[in-house]
Amino acid sequence: MAVAGTASASAAAPVPPVDMDVLHVQVILDHLGFSPGVLDGRPGQSLTAALEAFQESRGIPETGKIDRQTIWALHPYAHWRPVVRIALTEEMLAGPFVSPFPRDPEAQAKLPAMAYRNAIEKLAERFHTKPQVLVALNSYETRVKVGAVLRFPNAVPDSTDYPASLDPEWRRTLAGLNVEAKVPEAAEVVVDKSEKTLSVYDADGRRVAMFSATMGSEHDPLPIGTWKIQGASYNPKFHYNPQLFWDVSDAKRKLLLPAGPNGPVGVVWLDLSKPHYGIHGTPAPETIGRAESHGCIRLTNWDVARLSLMVKPGTPAIFQE
């Protein structure tokens, strides 16, 4: 798969095929707000957690499996097909892009933006997946250019009618991540350390959304307790302070990293009443629930963007073992 004007990657390693039945389940759960993480047509811990949350919300056995009762419960939403065909537009392929992307914060601080590496990475995040899945759904020879029709996981939202009170640039970011505009209002969010999930509950105590999350580490454990979401910073710059990172020398200087989806906190920072802690996005969605963090709660960019539409200043955030 190659951007127009570059060489095709036909000699690259084989990409595993996508299981369309699994992808269909993932797509439905993603639309319903029980996020399976990356839409890749493959089973895994994020899909298991999403299934268990969906099953609990429907009052059926929480097996975490695509069993008969779950299939029946998902059947009313089968109109959300697993794959969509979409013709690429100039907006979908527009940069800026940064390639190669520097790993050193000193070099990152000099960038105009912590942007995507290329159009394929941008397209993958827009459709809640990863570049390898786009290759599997299309081919290595597919030319990524304006007018080309590609197959994508069906992450297309039913509505992009975002609140008019939001900044226009943030509304463009939401649309660029295919974030659903019609979402339930959160009465509280619960971060569960053992399940590696963040769940959203409404005023009646019903779980109405769930996202796989990365949280804490041995050096920066999750701060168990009840906190509050104080506000949101959209497309934030990142204040890099080496003194807050156990694995970085304090001799390093403080830096201000530019905004962008590949920044350390992704596209959103939801500030918490616990100092230096927040709920935020990530430049590496495939690591959610699998890697450690520096104490904060990390979601995929598309999931934390969706969460930001559900919460408001003062929403309780309960962190539990």
Side-chain angles (χ1 to χ4, degrees):
M1 197 168 194
V3 176
T6 65
S8 173
S10 58
V15 176
V18 174
D19 185 321
M20 287 297 175
D21 291 333
V22 174
L23 181 61
H24 197 187
V25 170
Q26 289 177 322
V27 162
I28 293 172
L29 292 171
D30 184 75
H31 276 271
L32 293 175
F34 295 96
S35 175
V38 173
L39 302 180
D40 58 4
R42 303 179 67 182
Q45 64 183 42
S46 293
L47 176 56
T48 298
L51 284 166
E52 289 175 347
F54 171 76
Q55 290 161 342
E56 184 265 344
S57 74
R58 298 308 192 267
I60 59 179
E62 298 170 39
T63 64
K65 298 179 179 179
I66 307 173
D67 50 31
R68 186 179 297 275
Q69 289 193 63
T70 303
I71 291 173
W72 276 110
L74 291 169
H75 183 70
Y77 312 103
H79 60 279
W80 286 315
R81 305 309 299 161
V83 171
V84 291
R85 294 179 181 270
I86 294 178
L88 301 180
T89 65
E90 289 187 9
E91 181 275 330
M92 293 171 71
L93 300 178
F97 300 117
V98 178
S99 183
F101 196 95
R103 298 184 63 181
D104 179 50
E106 293 269 358
Q108 292 175 353
K110 299 175 183 178
L111 295 173
M114 298 286 274
Y116 294 114
R117 292 166 178 81
N118 50 51
I120 297 173
E121 185 182 42
K122 179 182 179 181
L123 289 170
E125 185 141 291
R126 184 184 187 108
F127 290 93
H128 306 180
T129 190
K130 54 186 179 181
Q132 295 91 329
V133 175
L134 297 187
V135 174
L137 290 176
N138 296 280
S139 75
Y140 280 114
E141 287 71 34
T142 298
R143 308 298 287 174
V144 180
K145 61 181 181 179
V146 174
V149 178
L150 272 64
R151 299 203 310 164
F152 296 98
N154 183 11
V156 180
D158 285 347
S159 172
T160 56
D161 187 19
Y162 307 114
S165 59
L166 294 175
D167 180 80
E169 180 60 32
W170 177 237
R171 294 204 301 271
R172 283 191 289 272
T173 299
L174 291 169
L177 289 169
N178 276 334
V179 175
E180 174 60 52
K182 295 180 179 179
V183 296
E185 182 177 341
E188 66 179 21
V189 300
V190 176
V191 176
D192 192 290
K193 180 180 178 180
S194 62
E195 294 183 355
K196 298 181 180 179
T197 60
L198 183 153
S199 295
V200 177
Y201 292 85
D202 67 11
D204 295 322
R206 297 175 301 185
R207 179 154 55 173
V208 292
M210 190 284 299
F211 310 106
S212 287
T214 291
M215 61 199 72
S217 66
E218 177 184 351
H219 298 275
D220 298 292
L222 184 73
I224 303 302
T226 299
W227 314 99
K228 288 185 179 181
I229 294 174
Q230 300 193 123
S233 179
Y234 306 123
N235 293 315
K237 296 180 179 180
F238 181 71
H239 294 272
Y240 177 76
N241 183 355
Q243 294 181 356
L244 299 179
F245 297 92
W246 64 267
D247 53 352
V248 178
S249 170
D250 288 353
K252 297 284 187 178
R253 66 188 184 97
K254 296 180 180 179
L255 300 165
L256 181 63
L257 304 187
N262 271 332
V265 296
V267 299
V268 189
W269 172 271
L270 298 177
D271 196 43
L272 294 168
S273 54
K274 173 71 172 175
H276 306 302
Y277 282 82
I279 302 170
H280 61 81
T282 179
E286 69 279 0
T287 66
I288 294 299
R290 295 172 174 82
E292 294 184 332
S293 76
H294 286 93
C296 292
I297 297 82
R298 193 165 64 214
L299 312 179
T300 66
N301 278 335
W302 58 84
D303 284 342
V304 74
R306 185 168 184 157
L307 175 65
S308 74
L309 296 174
M310 301 179 182
V311 300
K312 59 185 178 182
T315 299
I318 301 166
F319 294 179
Q320 63 188 30
E321 295 283 357

